[in-house]
Amino acid sequence: MKRMSRLLVISAVSVALTASTATAVVAREAAGPRPAAAAREAADVSRGTLVSVEHLRTLTARQVAAELTGDEGGAWDTGAVRHGLDTFRIVYRTVDPYGRPTTASGLLALPRGGDRRLRTVSFTHGTELFKGDVASVSADVWGQAPALTYASAGFAAVLPDYLGLGLGPGPHPWMDVPSETTAALDMLRASRTAAAQRGRELRRGVLATGFSQGASAALGLARSLREGDDGWFRLRAVAPVSGAYAFRAAELPALLAGRTEPKASVIYTALALVSFNRLHHLYDTPAEVFRAPYDRTIEGLLDGTHTGQEVVAGTPDSLDGLLTAHGRAMLAHPDGRLAAALRITDGVCSDWTPEAPIRLYYADGDEQAVNANTTHCRAALRAHGVDAPLVDLGSPDYGGSRHLGSQQAGTAAVVRWFRSLG
């Protein structure tokens, strides 16, 4: 098994609605709602302003290709490599899930040469357990490969770390709709400033993509852009890859029924309960939902300061070893605050109309984000009159039939599609 942070890539409550809409739903349907962090209504004019920019690396096109082909997890496609690039770590101002000022970090990659006015790709990453495993901090090829791919193809590549990862304070609100949306949007704003300081301009049309957790996050950002939550950026196209778009309807039942990879199922389920509880107060003590000895350790283990290997070692190999009867019943028959939050999750494809080109990328043999997520998403979009073609990354043209392989195959496929859009 590869490092666990690569394995954890579903998006639970990652974005379907804008921040204001999402919070309003929870407020209406759950007792004691938390304060809103509404994207379009936020009065904090400092959102998206730069705190710092640090130049990390300069790579030639040949060096980019060498890194992509040399990844220990398997070679990435280099067919789109045209330029060298520079990468930068950005720290910027944003808001937390309660609308309070905070900071977040991310990676910006700019091509060397090419157009002064750059097409902009926002790539939102899959689940990372450890703060240091995101692209702005880690030198691991896996995390940086999407940035290298898009920037070397001539795009400005913008990769938010989300809240609580990278250099962001506090735990990561893994399944919080508003904060994933606002963090991605504010990263775009900060990147526009950083690019301008280097004589480059980010064009208005954003090409939104992301993998797994980031696939749903990309849809959340796309909705925010579609609804005019920024004065400059607009949605140009959206291409999510291998997301859990129907978390209640498809993904959660698969996790509970053992239709997904066992260890990933354990950690995803633990993440869902711990993260939802931080935001929505689902239980009073961990012992209500987690069996001993994990009731004493699981919340600390998932605070972002432990590596994927530590999380793997500190969790059981099956859900039966993790969940109490009450914990399983809560997930199998959600009600109250959990049901309200899951309705937001399952609205990721159904509660808005993109009105921009969209393709849904999936892997036919995905052992983590079951294919029913994508078919649910396509059906929901069709109900709104939206044509969302499916691209099977497990076909001979792509060869990414499993979950992790679909990030590599999906990046190669999406960069080709984005280049064709002009």
Side-chain angles (χ1 to χ4, degrees):
M1 183 180 293
K2 298 176 182 177
R3 68 180 177 86
M4 198 62 197
S5 60
R6 291 191 184 181
L7 195 59
L8 303 177
V9 282
I10 58 174
S11 163
V13 195
S14 285
V15 254
L17 310 177
T18 59
S20 55
T21 305
T23 307
V25 171
V26 175
R28 288 194 302 268
E29 303 189 35
R34 59 193 175 87
R40 77 186 68 190
E41 297 174 3
D44 184 358
V45 295
S46 69
R47 277 186 48 196
T49 60
L50 283 171
V51 174
S52 64
V53 181
E54 179 182 356
H55 181 264
L56 298 177
R57 297 198 295 167
T58 297
L59 298 175
T60 66
R62 180 173 295 182
Q63 289 171 324
V64 171
E67 286 211 10
L68 291 174
T69 56
D71 186 8
E72 294 179 356
W76 296 70
D77 186 87
T78 59
V81 175
R82 300 287 186 274
H83 304 275
L85 56 86
D86 290 285
T87 62
F88 305 87
R89 180 189 298 124
I90 288 179
V91 177
Y92 60 98
R93 300 190 188 281
T94 186
V95 290
D96 72 5
Y98 299 90
R100 299 172 302 207
T102 189
T103 58
S105 57
L107 185 76
L108 171 65
L110 299 175
R112 295 179 67 82
D115 296 336
R116 186 187 70 82
R117 298 180 66 248
L118 298 171
R119 292 172 293 170
T120 304
V121 172
S122 172
F123 177 86
T124 39
H125 63 75
T127 299
E128 297 290 359
L129 296 171
F130 179 54
K131 288 175 177 285
D133 280 338
V134 291
S136 75
V137 177
S138 174
D140 186 80
V141 178
W142 175 266
Q144 294 205 355
L148 302 182
T149 299
Y150 289 111
S152 67
F155 299 93
V158 179
L159 281 69
D161 293 335
Y162 310 137
L163 297 183
L165 296 175
L167 303 185
H172 169 50
W174 179 60
M175 298 191 281
D176 187 47
V177 172
S179 68
E180 289 195 3
T181 301
T182 53
L185 182 59
D186 291 344
M187 176 66 185
L188 279 170
R189 293 164 169 164
S191 296
R192 183 186 176 204
T193 301
Q197 291 174 350
R198 285 149 187 83
R200 311 299 285 273
E201 179 183 336
L202 302 191
R203 288 161 58 174
R204 300 188 74 184
V206 174
L207 302 155
T209 184
F211 172 58
S212 199
Q213 175 184 352
S216 290
L219 287 169
L221 174 64
R223 178 183 177 118
S224 182
L225 294 170
R226 162 69 182 83
E227 297 197 350
D229 287 345
D230 185 74
W232 174 256
F233 292 110
R234 295 292 183 268
L235 179 62
R236 176 66 180 89
V238 57
V241 179
S242 300
Y245 315 110
F247 194 72
R248 179 175 184 174
E251 188 66 24
L252 188 54
L255 293 173
L256 295 175
R259 297 197 301 272
T260 52
E261 197 281 330
K263 178 60 83 166
S265 299
V266 166
I267 299 179
Y268 286 144
T269 302
L271 272 171
L273 285 170
V274 169
S275 297
F276 267 126
N277 189 61
R278 287 173 181 153
L279 296 176
H280 306 296
H281 189 72
L282 305 181
Y283 53 82
D284 292 326
T285 67
E288 294 176 31
V289 295
F290 298 114
R291 293 184 182 276
Y294 308 107
D295 60 323
R296 298 189 297 273
T297 61
I298 195 72
E299 290 186 340
L301 194 62
L302 298 176
D303 66 358
T305 67
H306 296 82
T307 66
Q309 292 89 338
E310 290 173 326
V311 175
V312 169
T315 51
D317 293 330
S318 71
L319 285 180
D320 288 340
L322 176 72
L323 297 177
T324 65
H326 175 67
R328 180 179 280 273
M330 178 186 293
L331 295 172
H333 307 287
D335 59 13
R337 295 174 179 179
L338 179 57
L342 291 174
R343 278 191 286 273
I344 295 171
T345 307
D346 281 15
V348 71
C349 300
S350 62
D351 291 341
W352 68 294
T353 303
E355 297 186 6
I358 179 171
R359 291 185 179 182
L360 302 175
Y361 295 78
Y362 75 103
D364 63 343
D366 199 316
E367 76 286 5
Q368 295 183 43
V370 294
N371 292 164
N373 286 294
T374 303
T375 56
H376 271 78
C377 185
R378 188 187 194 192
L381 290 167
R382 279 185 164 178
H384 286 268
V386 176
D387 178 27
L390 300 184
V391 180
D392 178 8
L393 297 169
S395 71
D397 290 339
Y398 302 103
S401 63
R402 302 278 283 177
H403 193 70
L404 294 180
S406 71
Q407 166 153 298
Q408 293 170 301
T411 300
V414 172
V415 73
R416 288 196 293 272
W417 183 48
F418 283 172
R419 289 179 65 195
S420 74
L421 295 175

